[in-house]
Amino acid sequence: MGINSPGIGSGLDVNGLVSKLMAAESLPLQAYDTKTGVLQGRIASYGQLSGAIGTFQGSLSSLSNSSTFQALTSNSSDTTILSATATSTAVPGSYQVNVRQLAKAQSLNTAGQTSTTATIGTGAAATISFQFGSVGGGSFGVNGTALPTTTATGGIAKGALSINGTTIATDSTTKSALDLANAINTLTGTTGVSANVTATKTAAALFGNGTASTFGNVATGASSSYALTVGGIQIATQGAGVAAGSGVTPASIDATLGGNNATTQALTAAGITVSGTAAAGTLQFTATNGANINVTETVSGSVTGGLGNSGTANNGSSTTATASVSLVSAAGTPITVAGSNPAAAGLTAGTGGSYTGSSFTLDGTQPLGTVNVATGSGTLAGIRDAINNANVGVTASIVSDGSNNPYHLVLTSNKTGANAAMKITVSGAGGAAADPALASLLNYDPSGTQSMQQTSAAQDTLLSVNGIAVQGHGTDVSGAIDGVTISTKQTGTSTLTIARDTKSVSDAINGFVKAYNTLNTTISSLSGYDPTTKKAGALQGDFTVRGIRSQLRAQLDTAVQGQNGLTTLSQIGISFQKDGSLTVDSTKLNTAMTSNFNSIAGLFAAVGQASDGLVTVTGSSAKTQPGNYALNITQMATQATLASTGVLPATTTIAANTTWSVTLNQTSPTTASKVQNIAIPAGNYSPSALAALLSSSINGNSGFAGTGDTVAASIDSTGHLVLSSTKWGSGSNLTLSDVTGSTVAGVFGTATPTTGLDVAGTIGGVQATGNGQTLSGAAGSVTEGLQLSINGGSIGARGTVNFSQGYAVQLTSLTTGFIGTSGLITSRTSGLNDSIKSITDQKASFQAHLDSMQKIYTAQFTALDTMVASMQSTQSYLTQQLASIAANR
Amino acid sequence: MMTNAEIASLYEAMVGITDDMLAAATANDWDRLVQLEHQCAACVRQLKDNGDSPLAGQERVRKANAIRKMLDSDRKIRDLTQPWMAKLQAMISNKTVERRVARAYGV
């Protein structure tokens, strides 16, 4: 039988039957799918729970930070004058702040140039050095010349003089520098300019030439007289008929002026002082108040001798000595002098001003700036670009004023503050002499040559807090009030109110309660029975969920350890309700915030507090255990230092082309950038100036600046120069060696540098790890993760460090144990996934068996079916044979 | 061509096979039943192919007896086979298989 189609004999459609069987198969197989579905439902529910816990954990992060609970608000009554921010160290209160001056950066202008692209000078390579420091003493302004005689007699006409656009009230009575200065000073509030007078001095040659007297002995004829008055005070007089030598002589004048008499008393009362002698020809009268000094010889009849008279007829004389005024701009801004006749005031029309009598003191904390101008780049634009590209803390720009020489290079210090004034020195490349044209354009020294015009002075912010004066280099002043930064905007007075930020604290606490309740609701809906929907949660009765819930609850019911003050949630009005949710009693919370504000942080956050004021807790980790730990320091952190062997002389000379090789905070293995060649500007320096110069020179190196390596230099109490790395600990080191010019030994002697040490000691009796000033709890100990900064003090017992972990920190650790990579839910979920996998395997093998059974039954049925057909044909044959036998009988 | 004696003997051999078939059906040994039936069908093919010539005398009696015996057994075999096939049919068309497998697996 070649045909194997089933059902041939029976008429039964076996293939149809088999496919029916396949369809029916899903019924017991559904049992597997149902089981899988249940497990997947639980996995999804765990996912939901995990998500809810994650959200709750996220809400804990800000609560774990103590600053959340120590926030202070600052309120300025006039925000156009100032605003402020307060950190947690600030003390709440009300502060009267008076801003008297805003910090400014110095700005300098060059003289006008015709072109921005024309080479200035020879075009040879040049170096422009910038030093930053303070201008001290002297004043900024314009010096006038002595008032002309016409002013002494006729005054200064109205409108003759204006300062900064304001006409000075002068008239025919404004005859002296004293009068003029008074007129100018009444308008200082408007002009910003005050006037100083120079002393009025009678002419040096009035009584002689400095070696001999030119005052002739006075001789008076009959009915003649002679009188000499100075500043209206008669100092010598001679009646009629006195021979030369018997009356007024240089000696008699000196005798009068040298004694204590009516004449000298009157001179003193008039503010006139005397110097020199008539006999020596050096007699001069001085009025420091700038009043004019009129010297008059009044003569009647025939008189010989007197001032500059050697026996010829004296017909009387009158001279007036005048003083000059100098204009001062307190703000250090240029002064504009104008008017119909400023010369009458001894002044010249124009705008200008410079420092006179001032000194410049380099600020050692500010790096020196060195700008190299390449050959051929010495144009106004080239210099601008070179300065801007060098990043030395100075911004250069070019402005045009539209005049015949319109282009000015403007240099502005990037830093505000009185310590950020610039001193600019031009030199040739490689120590060559400076190009004169470049030098006369840019050289600027407040204590010397000022080739550039200052348009804005370097000045500090000046303010007072509750009447106490404070100053700062920036417009933001920190520390005037502890923990508060005041941002000044303009001058004026504002009341600053610093208050505890109870709102953000109560918001944070309410946020915590809300987050917990949201989690609680999720847990309830997953694990409970909802009577309204008559539905049980997918995790009803699940031991994992029950465990999570009871652990959370237990954590919140446990008082915080190691914390002084508030230790339980109920103390701030948080309590559990019947349904397991939390509720806040705001009255109780407000009471707690009023009476125990500083303790709230410890209830939620991780708080570390050292009893020693020079120790701060800078960090902790989840592994840090709460407790009180004794702190014992066995070694203080130090910085690398190099102290000169000897006391520095009054003047130290640094030779031209002095370069030292400086190795600073070298690492192991070594780093090339830790070694730099430092050029030390040549000059003669006082000890303090040398210290400032060394630190500025080293800190001005861009290689060191790039890696944050800096030095500090000072003169100690015994007069030694001390140079130190600002880094603390074993990584702090310093080496100086000669390259060219003055030697290191010439300044420091045979001194050798010391290397820094790390702090060392024990926390809670366990040896801690020191790194610089930071002492860290040993790994594996109860203080693991605790970081202390030992900022000073001495070795020995240093009090205790108290560390506590509030609820937010504890709950963060606890929930990490639920949802972390090896957490409870995670492992539960992977267990369920394993179950699903094994059911899938079972289902597959069930399916395989089902298939094989079907194959067996189908094959047997088909075989029997075929057999029955074959038997049928056999039976027919036999029946036919039997019939034929019967027929033959 | 077979001799008359061979033909009669073949019929009697077929009786033996048919008896064995009945024994296998009685013992529910369906695979053996199918096997034996193949042998039986082969004998029938031999008879048909080699001319089942009419017999006489003793051989005719032997053949008739054999055929009667075989038809008797045939009926008995079918009576045993039909219910089993019905059962198989039922198993292929309803849940019995599944239930049995499910029981075995304790699903």
Side-chain angles (χ1 to χ4, degrees):
Chain A
M1 292 196 48
I3 301 173
N4 274 336
S5 171
I8 236 138
S10 62
L12 183 72
D13 177 5
V14 180
N15 285 333
L17 285 176
V18 170
S19 55
K20 266 190 198 152
L21 175 66
M22 293 301 213
E25 210 179 77
S26 58
L27 282 168
L29 287 171
Q30 255 175 12
Y32 290 112
D33 293 344
T34 308
K35 270 192 179 175
T36 302
V38 169
L39 294 179
Q40 280 171 336
R42 292 178 76 188
I43 289 174
S45 298
Y46 277 127
Q48 220 181 321
L49 177 62
S50 180
I53 292 172
T55 306
F56 174 63
Q57 196 181 53
S59 76
L60 297 171
S61 68
S62 69
L63 296 159
S64 303
N65 192 339
S66 60
S67 63
T68 302
F69 302 92
Q70 292 161 341
L72 290 141
T73 55
S74 62
N75 179 284
S76 169
S77 65
D78 189 341
T79 51
T80 64
I81 288 170
L82 60 92
S83 64
T85 54
T87 62
S88 59
T89 55
V91 179
S94 183
Y95 303 89
Q96 279 294 322
V97 183
N98 180 10
V99 181
R100 291 186 291 111
Q101 177 179 292
L102 288 192
K104 282 211 292 233
Q106 189 187 35
S107 200
L108 303 171
N109 267 9
T110 62
Q113 305 292 305
T114 49
S115 158
T116 60
T117 53
T119 303
I120 299 155
T122 63
T127 299
I128 308 167
S129 302
F130 289 88
Q131 293 187 17
F132 300 92
S134 322
V135 179
S139 60
F140 182 89
V142 174
N143 291 334
T145 53
L147 300 188
T149 318
T150 48
T151 296
T153 51
I156 302 171
K158 192 174 184 325
L161 174 67
S162 76
I163 294 175
N164 287 348
T166 300
T167 302
I168 305 300
T170 53
D171 57 25
S172 60
T173 65
T174 315
K175 293 181 171 178
S176 66
L178 175 62
D179 299 336
L180 176 60
N182 287 340
I184 292 169
N185 287 336
T186 54
L187 291 168
T188 300
T190 311
T191 60
V193 174
S194 58
N196 291 330
V197 294
T198 55
T200 315
K201 249 185 160 47
T202 53
L206 189 63
F207 281 86
N209 54 19
T211 52
S213 175
T214 55
F215 188 92
N217 293 341
V218 179
T220 44
S223 63
S224 303
S225 67
Y226 174 90
L228 176 64
T229 56
V230 174
I233 296 151
Q234 187 173 286
I235 58 164
T237 180
Q238 188 173 312
V242 179
S246 307
V248 176
T249 62
S252 79
I253 292 170
D254 289 337
T256 303
L257 295 175
N260 182 2
N261 48 52
T263 303
T264 55
Q265 286 164 14
L267 284 170
T268 304
I272 296 172
T273 54
V274 179
S275 59
T277 59
T282 56
L283 181 62
Q284 274 186 293
F285 297 90
T286 304
T288 51
N289 64 2
N292 293 345
I293 303 176
N294 192 272
V295 179
T296 309
E297 289 176 299
T298 312
V299 175
S300 64
S302 80
V303 176
T304 59
L307 291 168
N309 186 307
S310 53
T312 55
N314 184 336
N315 298 323
S317 70
S318 177
T319 58
T320 304
T322 57
S324 63
V325 294
S326 59
L327 303 180
V328 175
S329 163
T333 50
I335 298 168
T336 301
V337 172
S340 59
N341 182 20
L347 296 165
T348 313
T351 299
S354 60
Y355 286 103
T356 44
S358 300
S359 62
F360 175 81
T361 307
L362 171 68
D363 178 357
T365 67
Q366 301 206 53
L368 292 190
T370 305
V371 177
N372 295 314
V373 180
T375 307
S377 298
T379 64
L380 211 58
I383 294 166
R384 174 196 62 194
D385 297 342
I387 291 172
N388 287 337
N389 292 337
N391 246 333
V392 292
V394 175
T395 301
S397 59
I398 293 173
V399 297
S400 166
D401 62 10
S403 66
N404 289 338
N405 298 316
Y407 302 110
H408 300 265
L409 182 68
V410 180
L411 302 182
T412 305
S413 164
N414 292 353
K415 275 190 181 166
T416 59
N419 64 334
M422 296 177 269
K423 179 180 170 183
I424 305 169
T425 313
V426 176
S427 57
D435 181 304
L438 215 49
S440 67
L441 180 76
L442 296 171
N443 270 353
Y444 186 85
D445 179 358
S447 66
T449 308
Q450 296 162 52
S451 306
M452 297 180 80
Q453 171 65 55
Q454 175 173 283
T455 54
S456 169
Q459 65 182 32
D460 283 343
T461 295
L462 302 179
L463 52 82
S464 64
V465 177
N466 290 349
I468 296 161
V470 178
Q471 62 191 81
H473 297 317
T475 50
D476 286 4
V477 180
S478 299
I481 305 167
D482 192 28
V484 178
T485 300
I486 299 171
S487 301
T488 55
K489 296 188 173 70
Q490 60 171 359
T491 56
T493 304
S494 174
T495 303
L496 196 57
T497 308
I498 306 292
R500 283 173 177 160
D501 191 355
T502 51
K503 187 183 176 300
S504 56
V505 171
S506 69
D507 283 354
I509 289 169
N510 281 307
F512 165 75
V513 168
K514 190 161 172 275
Y516 182 82
N517 289 346
T518 305
L519 174 62
N520 186 56
T521 305
T522 307
I523 293 177
S524 297
S525 72
L526 289 171
S527 66
Y529 175 79
D530 186 345
T532 49
T533 61
K534 292 200 167 59
K535 272 194 176 157
L539 301 174
Q540 192 182 19
D542 182 281
F543 67 91
T544 306
V545 181
R546 276 212 306 272
I548 286 173
R549 184 174 226 160
S550 63
Q551 283 185 66
L552 285 169
R553 173 98 199 219
Q555 185 69 270
L556 292 174
D557 279 334
T558 310
V560 172
Q561 301 302 303
Q563 140 103 333
N564 312 319
L566 299 167
T567 57
T568 65
L569 288 176
S570 64
Q571 289 168 322
I572 60 166
I574 298 177
S575 56
F576 277 104
Q577 290 170 290
K578 272 204 181 103
D579 63 356
S581 68
L582 290 171
T583 176
V584 187
D585 178 341
S586 59
T587 312
K588 222 173 162 183
L589 175 59
N590 288 334
T591 307
M593 285 199 292
T594 308
S595 61
N596 232 335
F597 188 82
N598 293 333
S599 178
I600 290 178
L603 200 54
F604 291 94
V607 176
Q609 191 69 47
S611 62
D612 189 307
L614 291 168
V615 176
T616 49
V617 180
T618 53
S620 64
S621 76
K623 289 180 175 162
T624 313
Q625 299 299 311
N628 251 314
Y629 304 105
L631 175 65
N632 198 301
I633 301 297
T634 54
Q635 177 177 288
M636 288 298 296
T638 60
Q639 298 170 321
T641 56
L642 175 61
S644 64
T645 323
V647 172
L648 282 200
T651 304
T652 301
T653 302
I654 299 293
N657 286 332
T658 294
T659 300
W660 291 350
S661 168
V662 177
T663 306
L664 182 57
N665 303 338
Q666 183 55 279
T667 54
S668 173
T670 57
T671 309
S673 66
K674 302 288 185 180
V675 184
Q676 300 285 346
N677 274 8
I678 306 292
I680 317 287
N684 299 319
Y685 299 100
S686 69
S688 63
L690 182 65
L693 180 85
L694 281 185
S695 59
S696 286
S697 302
I698 296 170
N699 294 341
N701 178 277
S702 59
F704 286 148
T707 52
D709 292 305
T710 57
V711 298
S714 62
I715 304 297
D716 70 9
S717 56
T718 55
H720 295 79
L721 172 62
V722 179
L723 181 69
S724 54
S725 163
T726 54
K727 185 177 177 150
W728 293 93
S730 53
S732 177
N733 56 67
L734 176 70
T735 312
L736 303 185
S737 57
D738 302 331
V739 180
T740 56
S742 297
T743 61
V744 174
V747 175
F748 285 96
T750 56
T752 50
T754 59
T755 299
L757 298 170
D758 289 318
V759 68
T762 59
I763 307 173
V766 180
Q767 191 66 44
T769 313
N771 181 358
Q773 292 183 298
T774 302
L775 196 63
S776 307
S781 77
V782 287
T783 61
E784 179 173 352
L786 189 65
Q787 289 199 330
L788 309 177
S789 181
I790 318 297
N791 308 315
S794 52
I795 59 169
R798 297 289 298 273
T800 56
V801 175
N802 177 275
F803 179 73
S804 66
Q805 282 180 324
Y807 289 112
V809 182
Q810 296 178 8
L811 287 168
T812 302
S813 307
L814 183 65
T815 48
T816 299
F818 297 155
I819 61 173
T821 43
S822 57
L824 201 56
I825 294 176
T826 320
S827 60
R828 195 88 178 80
T829 306
S830 68
L832 288 171
N833 276 317
D834 290 348
S835 302
I836 287 177
K837 194 183 171 314
S838 98
I839 289 173
T840 310
D841 293 348
Q842 283 174 29
K843 180 181 166 182
S845 91
F846 176 81
Q847 180 81 59
H849 272 263
L850 210 53
D851 290 353
S852 72
M853 295 298 275
Q854 272 162 1
K855 273 203 186 83
I856 290 164
Y857 289 142
T858 308
Q860 197 175 70
F861 184 92
T862 308
L864 289 172
D865 197 43
T866 311
M867 179 198 79
V868 168
S870 175
M871 282 173 74
Q872 187 72 48
S873 94
T874 301
Q875 190 222 30
S876 303
Y877 179 78
L878 293 174
T879 308
Q880 178 208 318
Q881 287 298 325
L882 196 58
S884 64
I885 288 172
N888 287 342
R889 196 178 38 183
Chain B
M1 289 299 286
M2 290 190 293
T3 64
N4 288 349
E6 283 172 338
I7 291 171
S9 297
L10 189 54
Y11 271 105
E12 281 167 350
M14 281 172 67
V15 172
I17 294 170
T18 313
D19 286 348
D20 287 349
M21 281 171 69
L22 179 57
T26 309
N28 289 338
D29 191 347
W30 308 111
D31 291 347
R32 180 161 166 70
L33 172 64
V34 170
Q35 204 82 46
L36 292 164
E37 197 277 332
H38 284 326
Q39 293 173 19
C40 190
C43 295
V44 174
R45 267 202 306 282
Q46 195 182 342
L47 287 168
K48 284 181 180 175
D49 294 348
N50 297 312
D52 190 356
S53 46
L55 303 178
Q58 193 55 37
E59 281 96 359
R60 204 168 103 155
V61 175
R62 280 169 63 195
K63 177 176 170 179
N65 284 342
I67 290 175
R68 280 194 199 92
K69 269 186 189 151
M70 280 193 278
L71 288 174
D72 184 46
S73 292
D74 177 80
R75 202 185 56 250
K76 284 178 180 160
I77 290 164
R78 280 178 205 234
D79 285 348
L80 287 166
T81 307
Q82 293 297 355
W84 175 240
M85 284 182 69
K87 215 175 211 170
L88 273 182
Q89 202 176 314
M91 274 200 280
I92 294 171
S93 62
N94 70 21
K95 298 284 148 293
T96 324
V97 178
E98 284 184 51
R99 266 190 236 110
R100 285 178 58 189
V101 176
R103 260 205 303 284
Y105 277 85
V107 177

